[in-house]
Amino acid sequence: MIRRLLSACSAAAAIAFAANAQSVAITNANLWTGDDMVAGSTIVIRDGRVTAVAPDASIPADMARIDAEDAWVTPGIFSAFSRVGVVEVGAEDSTNDTTAPLATFGPALQLSDAFNPSATTIPVTRIEGVTRIAVVPGFGANMFGGQGFVADTSGEADSITKAQAFSFINLGEGGAGLSGGSRASAWATLRAALSDARTYPARYIASDEGDVLGRLDAQEFSAAARGQQLLLISVDRASDIRKVIALKDEYRQLDVALVGASEGWLVANELGEAGIPVILNQYANLPGRFESLASTQKNAGRLLDAGVTVAFAYFDDDSHQTRLVLQSAGNAVANGVSHEDALRAITSAPASIFGLDDLGSLTPGSVGDLVIWDGDPLEVMSAPTHVFINGVEQSLESRQTKLRDRYLNLDESERPLAYKR
Amino acid sequence: MKHAWRTASGALLLLGAAACSEGGTGDAPSKAASGAFDKDPFPSTYEPYPSNPVLLQNATVYDGIGGVFQNYDVLLRDGDIIQIGDDLEPGEGIEVIDASDKFVTPGIIDNHSHLGVYPSPGVSAHSDGNEISGPVTAEVWAEHGAWPQDPGFVRALAGGVTSMQILPGSANLFGGRGVTVKNVPSRTVQGMKFPDAPYTLKMACGENPKRVYGYGGGRFPGGAPYSRMGNVAGYRSSWIEAQEYKRKWEKWEDEGGDPPSRNLELDTLKGVLDGDILVHMHCYRADEMAQIIDMSKEFGYKVTSFHHAVESYKIADKLAEEDICSAMWADWWGFKMEAYDGIRENIPLVHNAGACAIVHSDSDIGIQRLNQEAAKALADGNRAGLDISKADAWTWLSANPAKSLGIFDHTGSLEAGKDADVVVWSGDPFSVYSQAEKVYIDGVLMFDRNNPDLNPVTDFELGQPGEGDTK
C-alpha cells in the first residue's frame, strides 16, 4: 500500500516537472563548458537545447531565469559505464537484467529492452548530477555481452538516447573463461565472429550457422564488426591491450574503446597513437587479479599524458552507485590529473567516446543537460542544487530522500511513522 | 588449589584459584589465561620499532574526540603521544616537522576489514574468509586465515589506516573470531596483533546465512537455517549450549576434579558470555537488530556493534539507549534486499541521536579513503538540517571504532599517553584532494608519500609489473 502511494506520488511529481517549459536561462555561472572554464557566464537553453553561452548573452524577456550567483555550473555528468535502470536489487535475480547467463544469444542481446525508467536507481543517480548513463550489459553465457545503450536519467518513458550504442566483449580473464577456458579460445572466437559478421548476410544464405555466430547474432554484430558501431572491449593486462591494438591495426575501421585497462599505462603511448580511448576505474590500485598486477591510481594521468582520451566510471557497484563517478574524478585529481581533465572525463570525453557530441558540453547546439552545484562538483561534500535534462528542471527527490525525511524525527507518540510522508 | 596447564608454546602456566574465579566478571575484557586453559595461545609479538621523537608543528589538529585546534603542535616520543598544544618547545634531539597547511588526526581505525582473509589477488586459493562448512563456526579464528602479505594492507596504510579489525565473512550465524591488528607490515599475523586487544566474535543476521545454508549453492533444498526464523533459532540453540558449557567450567573451577572436555566452538561463545569477547554482528535491517538486542538480553551478553547497519537510522533512538555502535558505509545500498532502504544520511542520523556511529569499509578499496566516506556522510547530514562539525565527525573514524574494539585506552584519539598512531594529511581530510602524507604507528613513520623508501612493498608485489610504483 505504502509502496503504491509512493509510486503514485513520484509519478505525479514527474508529470508536474514534464509540464515545465524546456527553456531557461542561467546567469552568473562559474561555467565548465565541457572543454574549459568561463566565469560569469550566461547559458540560454531554448526548447531543450543550448542556444547561447556568453557573459552577455541576451535572454528573451519571457524566459525563466536562475541566478547561479557564481556557483559552479557544468554539463550534466555522463557516466561512461553503468547498470542504472536495469537492476532494482542486485542480489534478486528476478529484478536484475544485467546479465543473461542462460541466453542462447550473444551479440544480439539488446540491453535497452530491459531498461526501466522508473527504477529507483534513476532518481538516486540523477539527484547527484548524473544525467546521462551508458548502460552496459554484463557477461553471462559467453564473451559477448550484447549491445548497450545510452539514456538520460529523467525517468521519462522516452529517455533512451541511443538504443544500440555499442557492443561489448571481454578479452581478459573473464572472456577466456567464457569462451572455452583460454585467451587463445577467446581470440579464435572473436576472429570467427568478426568473419561471420563481416560476411553477413552472404554466408547465411545457404545456412543459418556461421563459424560461431548464428544468423541473428551475426546480423547484430555486423555493425560493430564493420566499424559502424562502437566496440567496447573489457581488458586489463598490458599484453591483452597490445593484442587489441594489433587487432585495430589489422581491422582499421573498427571503432574501439577499452573498459578497465588497469595496466593501460604500461602501453600508454601505443594507445595514444592508435587513438583508442579508455573508460577506467580510478580506484583500481590493487593486484586484484593476475591481469591487473600493475594497477595504480596514476593510470589516468599517465594515459592522459600520452594523449589518450580517458573517461571515468564507478565500477564497484555500477547499478546503485553510478553517482560516485564524481568522487572517482576527484580522486584522479588528488593523484595528479588536472581538474579540467577530470571534468572532461565525466562530461565531454564519454560523450565523444559514444559518438554523442551534443552531450557532455554546454555550447550552442548542445543538449540542455545542466547542473548547478553548491561547490566544486568534484568535492565529496558538494551536491547539485538544480539539475536540468533536455532543458527541463528535474525533481531532486528520490526514494532515499523520502525515507530520510520520514525518519529525520523518530517521534511516534501520536502515530506510527508509516503515516508520515 | 592450583591448576597447571601448558600454553601452546609449552610454557608452564600456573594459575591460582582466585584468578579462576575472577575470570568471568567481564569488567575488563582480558585474554590472559584466567581459566583452566590458555586463552591466548597465539599471542601478539608486535613491538613498536625504534623511533626518534617528533614534533609536528603548526598543524590544524582534529584530536578525534571533538576538538579542532589551529596552529597546534603534537609531540610524539617513545611510541606515545606526549603532548598536544600550541608553541611546544622542540627540545634537543627532537625532529621538527613543519605541518603548517597540514592537518593532523588520529590514525583511522577500520573495524570491518577482510584484508588478509580475502587478499589480493582474489584467486580461489586465497578465499579464506568464510568457513562455509556449517552455519555455526565460532571455533574458527580470522587470524588463522589472514595472509600478512596482502598488498591491501599497505594500500590501507597509505589511506591513513593505523589499526583494523579483520573479520571472518558473514556466511555463518557465528562466523568465528575476529582479530584486531596494528597496520604494520609483518612476516606473521602475530607480528601485527594489537597487544592486549580483546577478542571479538563475528555473527551475521539476515539474508546471508539463510541463503548460504538454506537454499544456496544449488543444493536446494539445503539445510538450516532456511529463514530468518531459522537464523534466530540457530543462535539461541548455540547460546543454550554455551550456557551449559559455561556452567560446567564454573562447576569445575569451584569443585575441581576432571576438567570438562574442551570445545573450541563453545570456548568462544563462553568467552562472550564471560564478557571477554566482544560481539560484532552483521545486521542490515532495523527490525532484525531489535530482535538481536532482545536475544542478547535473554542470554546475558551485549552486542558491541552492528555492522553495515543500513537501517540504523530507523532505530537510532533505541541504539543510543542500548549503547550499541553502528558500523556503516556512507552510501552503499540496494545490492541486496536488506540493503534496499539505505540512505546517505544514515551515519549522521545515528550520530545525531546520540548513538555511537562508525565509518567502516568492508572493502579493500573503501578502506583507502574512509575520510572521504565520513566527509560525504557529514555533508549529507548537514544538508538535511543537522549541525555536525568536522571535528565531531572524526569520532566516526578513530575514537568510536577504537571503543568498539576495546582499544580506546590505547589509541583512537590524540591524547597524552596514548599510542602515537597519527596521520599528517596534505590538507583538510574532508576534501577529496587531500591525502595521507605521513602515517605514524606507535611513533614510527611507517608511510611517507614523498619518500619512496617509506612505501612498503609486500612479497607478492616484488618482481611483478608495477613493483614499487606509486599506487
Side-chain angles (χ1 to χ4, degrees):
Chain A
M1 184 60 189
I2 296 297
R3 220 184 146 94
R4 197 172 306 149
L5 287 174
L6 279 176
S7 52
C9 176
S10 49
I15 289 162
F17 277 98
N20 285 353
Q22 289 177 273
S23 301
V24 66
I26 315 294
T27 60
N28 298 313
N30 185 29
L31 173 67
W32 165 255
T33 64
D35 199 40
D36 53 11
M37 289 296 308
V38 188
S41 277
T42 292
I43 305 106
V44 179
I45 299 174
R46 186 194 284 268
D47 298 331
R49 293 232 171 215
V50 176
T51 54
V53 180
D56 53 357
S58 68
I59 303 170
D62 58 345
M63 188 174 270
R65 297 175 185 221
I66 294 177
D67 184 349
E69 295 175 340
D70 298 322
W72 277 85
V73 174
T74 68
I77 303 304
F78 193 138
S79 166
F81 190 100
S82 163
R83 267 89 192 223
V84 168
V86 293
V87 189
E88 192 58 44
V89 178
E92 294 296 337
D93 288 351
S94 59
T95 76
N96 189 336
D97 288 311
T98 308
T99 59
L102 303 177
T104 50
F105 294 105
L109 298 171
Q110 294 183 34
L111 193 59
S112 56
D113 290 333
F115 184 56
N116 175 18
S118 300
T120 55
T121 49
I122 296 279
V124 163
T125 304
R126 174 179 72 230
I127 70 175
E128 309 255 1
V130 180
T131 60
R132 299 280 162 170
I133 44 177
V135 185
V136 184
F139 298 104
N142 52 56
M143 60 178 278
F144 303 94
Q147 297 171 75
F149 62 99
V150 175
D152 69 51
T153 57
S154 65
E156 301 289 337
D158 59 349
S159 50
I160 289 181
T161 313
K162 191 173 181 181
Q164 291 168 270
F166 55 90
S167 287
F168 191 34
I169 66 172
N170 191 324
L171 287 171
E173 285 180 8
L178 288 169
S179 56
S182 158
R183 284 173 169 81
S185 53
W187 279 93
T189 305
L190 176 62
R191 288 189 199 102
L194 286 170
S195 165
D196 284 349
R198 288 158 65 88
T199 53
Y200 176 87
R203 75 171 296 165
Y204 290 84
I205 289 168
S207 157
D208 272 352
E209 292 301 316
D211 285 341
V212 295
L213 300 183
R215 172 184 292 275
L216 185 64
D217 277 330
Q219 177 191 317
E220 294 288 317
F221 199 47
S222 63
R226 293 183 167 116
Q228 293 152 6
Q229 184 195 49
L230 175 64
L231 182 61
L232 275 189
I233 303 180
S234 176
V235 72
D236 282 289
R237 197 169 75 183
S239 64
D240 294 336
I241 297 172
R242 285 193 202 99
K243 292 280 299 177
V244 173
I245 294 169
L247 176 77
K248 164 98 174 154
D249 216 37
E250 185 185 345
Y251 295 88
R252 289 194 168 269
Q253 76 277 33
L254 285 182
D255 180 12
V256 171
L258 305 185
V259 173
S262 308
E263 294 191 344
W265 66 273
L266 288 170
V267 286
N269 289 334
E270 294 94 312
L271 280 171
E273 279 161 27
I276 297 177
V278 171
I279 299 166
L280 65 76
N281 178 357
Q282 173 57 34
Y283 294 155
N285 73 339
L286 280 160
R289 298 181 306 277
F290 273 88
E291 65 183 347
S292 57
L293 294 174
S295 298
T296 166
Q297 291 195 83
K298 300 292 182 190
N299 196 23
R302 292 170 186 170
L303 289 168
L304 285 160
D305 285 347
V308 178
T309 297
V310 168
F312 297 128
Y314 183 80
F315 286 82
D316 286 341
D317 179 354
D318 39 42
S319 52
H320 293 74
Q321 296 283 58
T322 281
R323 55 188 178 174
L324 297 184
V325 66
L326 288 137
Q327 191 182 355
S328 300
N331 277 273
V333 175
N335 283 282
V337 170
S338 74
H339 197 269
E340 295 206 344
D341 278 339
L343 279 170
R344 203 168 276 125
I346 55 174
T347 55
S348 48
S352 84
I353 291 172
F354 292 100
L356 297 164
D357 289 332
D358 55 356
L359 290 168
S361 60
L362 289 172
T363 50
S366 299
V367 170
D369 287 10
L370 177 151
V371 183
I372 307 177
W373 303 84
D374 65 5
D376 173 355
L378 302 189
E379 269 292 7
V380 278
M381 295 187 74
S382 300
T385 56
H386 299 271
V387 175
F388 293 84
I389 295 176
N390 294 318
V392 179
E393 181 155 21
Q394 304 292 307
S395 160
L396 293 181
E397 264 190 354
S398 70
R399 184 170 175 277
Q400 294 192 346
T401 64
K402 285 170 170 281
L403 279 163
R404 173 198 68 199
D405 293 344
R406 168 170 288 180
Y407 285 95
L408 268 176
N409 180 345
L410 298 174
D411 181 12
E412 281 190 312
S413 55
E414 300 291 328
R415 266 181 186 277
L417 291 173
Y419 293 87
K420 183 171 149 189
R421 66 189 183 88
Chain B
M1 183 178 66
K2 282 191 172 177
H3 305 295
W5 216 261
R6 280 188 183 278
T7 65
S9 60
L12 192 66
L13 208 61
L14 294 174
L15 297 165
C20 293
S21 63
E22 280 170 12
T25 58
D27 288 330
S30 160
K31 292 189 306 171
S34 60
F37 51 86
D38 183 2
K39 292 187 176 177
D40 192 19
F42 305 89
S44 170
T45 58
Y46 169 70
E47 282 184 29
Y49 288 85
S51 63
N52 296 318
V54 173
L55 183 67
L56 307 170
Q57 231 173 20
N58 292 323
T60 302
V61 175
Y62 293 124
D63 66 5
I65 46 174
V68 58
F69 307 96
Q70 309 292 337
N71 295 317
Y72 242 46
D73 304 341
V74 180
L75 177 62
L76 318 178
R77 190 168 58 214
D78 299 330
D80 289 336
I81 296 163
I82 301 301
Q83 201 179 351
I84 75 167
D86 52 355
D87 286 331
L88 299 186
E89 275 299 313
E92 208 164 310
I94 294 179
E95 183 191 358
V96 176
I97 292 174
D98 177 14
S100 41
D101 303 327
K102 315 281 185 198
F103 282 62
V104 173
T105 69
I108 292 174
I109 299 169
D110 185 2
N111 85 346
H112 194 119
S113 175
H114 299 297
L115 289 179
V117 294
Y118 282 116
S120 300
V123 292
S124 58
H126 274 170
S127 182
D128 286 313
N130 275 296
E131 181 53 47
I132 295 182
S133 54
V136 180
T137 61
E139 69 275 19
V140 307
W141 298 18
E143 65 200 77
H144 299 147
W147 184 44
Q149 298 296 341
D150 182 355
F153 288 117
V154 298
R155 302 293 190 282
L157 183 64
V161 174
T162 54
S163 292
M164 74 188 77
Q165 172 173 232
I166 302 170
L167 284 166
S170 51
N172 326 74
L173 299 174
F174 295 88
R177 291 198 196 192
V179 61
T180 300
V181 300
K182 290 261 187 180
N183 190 18
V184 289
S186 171
R187 290 176 293 162
T188 65
V189 172
Q190 290 90 327
M192 304 173 75
K193 283 179 76 172
F194 198 115
D196 301 322
Y199 268 109
T200 58
L201 170 65
K202 172 75 177 290
M203 294 177 65
C205 291
E207 291 181 25
N208 287 11
K210 72 183 196 123
R211 183 182 67 243
V212 171
Y213 300 101
Y215 50 91
R219 297 184 305 277
F220 183 89
Y226 196 86
S227 66
R228 284 182 165 83
M229 297 187 292
N231 286 355
V232 176
Y235 314 126
R236 295 175 78 207
S237 301
S238 290
W239 288 126
I240 289 167
E241 281 181 57
Q243 284 181 322
E244 283 172 17
Y245 185 70
K246 183 173 187 285
R247 273 198 297 274
K248 280 185 196 164
W249 280 99
E250 285 166 353
K251 184 163 182 279
W252 173 77
E253 281 166 4
D254 289 344
E255 300 170 11
D258 289 335
S261 298
R262 285 280 302 280
N263 179 313
L264 273 180
E265 176 190 310
L266 297 176
D267 279 352
T268 293
L269 301 190
K270 173 181 178 296
V272 171
L273 298 179
D274 288 341
D276 294 339
I277 296 178
L278 308 177
V279 173
H280 288 262
M281 191 154 189
H282 158 121
C283 225
Y284 285 75
R285 258 173 37 186
D287 55 304
E288 276 187 286
M289 291 188 247
Q291 304 283 7
I292 298 301
I293 291 169
D294 275 358
M295 180 181 72
S296 70
K297 291 176 180 170
E298 179 186 9
F299 293 99
Y301 72 94
K302 183 169 160 36
V303 177
T304 298
S305 181
F306 285 119
H307 285 239
H308 312 330
V310 157
E311 291 189 5
S312 277
Y313 68 96
K314 297 186 181 180
I315 52 162
D317 49 351
K318 296 186 198 306
L319 292 166
E321 214 170 280
E322 301 290 341
D323 189 28
I324 297 174
C325 293
S326 301
M328 299 164 280
W329 297 291
D331 49 20
W332 290 24
W333 75 288
F335 45 93
K336 54 179 164 171
M337 200 60 216
E338 62 193 2
Y340 196 52
D341 284 5
I343 65 170
R344 299 172 305 181
E345 296 82 2
N346 193 27
I347 293 169
L349 283 176
V350 168
H351 173 97
N352 197 55
C356 161
I358 292 168
V359 180
H360 77 343
S361 80
D362 190 21
S363 157
D364 53 11
I365 295 296
I367 196 173
Q368 300 183 42
R369 47 188 68 81
L370 286 168
N371 55 309
Q372 293 176 22
E373 300 307 293
K376 286 190 289 185
L378 174 64
D380 288 329
N382 286 345
R383 214 171 272 120
L386 307 183
D387 182 20
I388 302 172
S389 69
K390 289 176 177 175
D392 277 335
W394 201 273
T395 59
W396 308 339
L397 294 165
S398 301
N400 290 350
K403 288 174 187 168
S404 81
L405 299 175
I407 56 174
F408 187 58
D409 287 346
H410 303 284
T411 189
S413 61
L414 299 182
E415 295 178 276
K418 284 205 169 178
D419 295 355
D421 298 341
V422 178
V423 181
V424 180
W425 300 87
S426 61
D428 185 351
F430 290 89
S431 164
V432 74
Y433 305 128
S434 299
Q435 293 182 312
E437 247 177 34
K438 290 179 167 38
V439 182
Y440 295 89
I441 298 180
D442 288 302
V444 184
L445 185 57
M446 303 303 288
F447 173 79
D448 186 338
R449 189 170 297 275
N450 300 315
N451 180 355
D453 292 343
L454 290 180
N455 282 234
V457 176
T458 57
D459 291 356
F460 178 75
E461 295 192 277
L462 275 185
Q464 301 275 24
E467 171 194 333
D469 195 8
T470 303
K471 298 294 186 181

